[in-house]
Amino acid sequence: MFIPVVAFYLIFKYAPMVGVIIAFKSYNFADGIFGSPWVGMKNFQLLFSNPNSLLIIRNTLMLSLLSLIIGFPFPIMLAILLNEVRRMWFKKTVQTLVFLPHFLSWVIVGGMVVTIFSQQSGVINHLLEQWTGTTFAFLYNELSWISIYVGSGIWKEAGFSAIIYMSALSTIDPSLYEAASIDGASKWKKIWHISLPGIAPVIILMLILSMGRVMEVGFDQVYTLQNSVVANVSEVISTYIYSFGLQRGQFSLTSAMGLFESVVGFILVVLANTIARRFDRGLW
């Protein structure tokens, strides 16, 4: 039963890593991956000497860290709130509503965001125009675009991510809550002293895994929401690789960017795990 899992990772995760050598070559289709001439660190020198590359790396880190810092607690809070609900019909209804956005593609979500925040035809601007007589360019203002980006990501994924924490909460011994009730503990104290410590190992695990994706800002979300007006904050590594690597054929340069992204992610995972091990919560 484990063979398909091993085969998946060998074929789709480890085998493609051979292509990493493109970052150290001047790749062309005629010579192929192994026949293309070596250029050493030239691609990395070109990459980091380009001011646009530094801007792209900054945007990637900024958007990813904001999504992590602001979005990471939401699934935990949602799971705890759902765990406290006692009316099963209400709990199942809310679960269905918050899980559903995960199964929508970013094309659909992007269309919904435009429908809500568009300056010409958006619902919110329609109401603003009725109340104040003016509209606001939510999608063309850098600060509001970042807020919409982070908020839409939380709305789409928080419900599905909460499943893991709800599973962890279900393993906590109910007698702990009963003993706390006998001692007169309030709901908040039960959550603080029983629920959160009970799922702490899972929280640390998910945080370590999330650190490895700090440099990975999803292409679909950014591409469907970005526009040229907010390019200074919306251009990230994934869109850079698409525009320069696929559209302009700069495969070696974008491979160098991808390798840099992976190395930073690896370092962050090791660092996060090292810190967690000091509190006996490490992944390895």
Side-chain angles (χ1 to χ4, degrees), residues 140-178:
Y140 299 97
N141 178 275
E142 292 183 356
L143 184 59
S144 60
W145 187 90
I146 292 172
S147 301
I148 291 170
Y149 171 86
V150 175
S152 61
I154 294 172
W155 175 78
K156 188 176 186 299
E157 299 297 341
F160 190 80
S161 300
I163 295 175
I164 298 173
Y165 300 108
M166 291 181 66
S167 301
L169 285 168
S170 65
T171 63
I172 298 176
D173 190 351
S175 63
L176 296 175
Y177 293 103
E178 295 172 2

Side-chain angles (χ1 to χ4, degrees), residues 55-276:
L55 177 67
I56 290 166
I57 294 170
R58 186 210 68 179
N59 292 342
T60 304
L61 281 172
M62 177 188 67
L63 293 177
S64 189
L65 287 175
L66 282 174
S67 299
L68 178 62
I69 295 170
I70 299 174
F72 187 78
F74 272 85
I76 302 172
M77 293 188 291
L78 182 60
I80 291 175
L81 289 173
L82 289 174
N83 189 59
E84 296 296 324
V85 175
R86 293 295 172 260
R87 296 184 181 274
M88 292 304 298
W89 66 268
F90 180 76
K91 183 177 182 178
K92 290 182 179 179
T93 302
V94 173
Q95 282 180 332
T96 302
L97 292 175
V98 297
F99 293 169
L100 185 61
H102 171 78
F103 300 99
L104 301 177
S105 70
W106 272 112
V107 175
I108 297 174
V109 175
M112 295 171 64
V113 169
V114 172
T115 302
I116 295 171
F117 293 102
S118 173
Q119 187 173 8
Q120 289 77 27
S121 58
V123 176
I124 293 181
N125 271 312
H126 179 69
L127 296 174
L128 280 176
E129 189 173 15
Q130 288 183 336
W131 295 339
T132 64
T134 59
T135 59
F136 184 79
F138 291 100
L139 296 174
Y140 299 97
N141 178 275
E142 292 183 356
L143 184 59
S144 60
W145 187 90
I146 292 172
S147 301
I148 291 170
Y149 171 86
V150 175
S152 61
I154 294 172
W155 175 78
K156 188 176 186 299
E157 299 297 341
F160 190 80
S161 300
I163 295 175
I164 298 173
Y165 300 108
M166 291 181 66
S167 301
L169 285 168
S170 65
T171 63
I172 298 176
D173 190 351
S175 63
L176 296 175
Y177 293 103
E178 295 172 2
S181 298
I182 294 173
D183 290 337
S186 62
K187 283 283 187 183
W188 170 248
K189 288 187 177 180
K190 290 178 186 177
I191 292 172
W192 185 257
H193 296 288
I194 299 175
S195 298
L196 287 175
I199 63 174
V202 178
I203 294 175
I204 297 297
L205 171 63
M206 295 303 295
L207 181 60
I208 293 173
L209 295 177
S210 298
M211 290 299 293
R213 296 191 295 270
V214 162
M215 293 295 289
E216 295 180 15
V217 176
F219 171 80
D220 295 345
Q221 182 181 4
V222 177
Y223 191 73
T224 54
L225 296 179
Q226 73 175 180
N227 56 74
S228 58
V229 179
V230 293
N232 284 335
V233 295
S234 66
E235 193 69 31
V236 295
I237 291 177
S238 57
T239 56
Y240 173 83
I241 291 175
Y242 170 73
S243 59
F244 279 83
L246 296 180
Q247 294 184 329
R248 302 185 189 182
Q250 299 291 329
F251 299 107
S252 296
L253 195 63
T254 50
S255 295
M257 177 68 88
L259 180 58
F260 168 76
E261 175 186 357
S262 301
V263 170
V264 172
F266 174 75
I267 292 172
L268 289 174
V269 168
V270 174
L271 181 62
N273 186 72
T274 302
I275 296 173

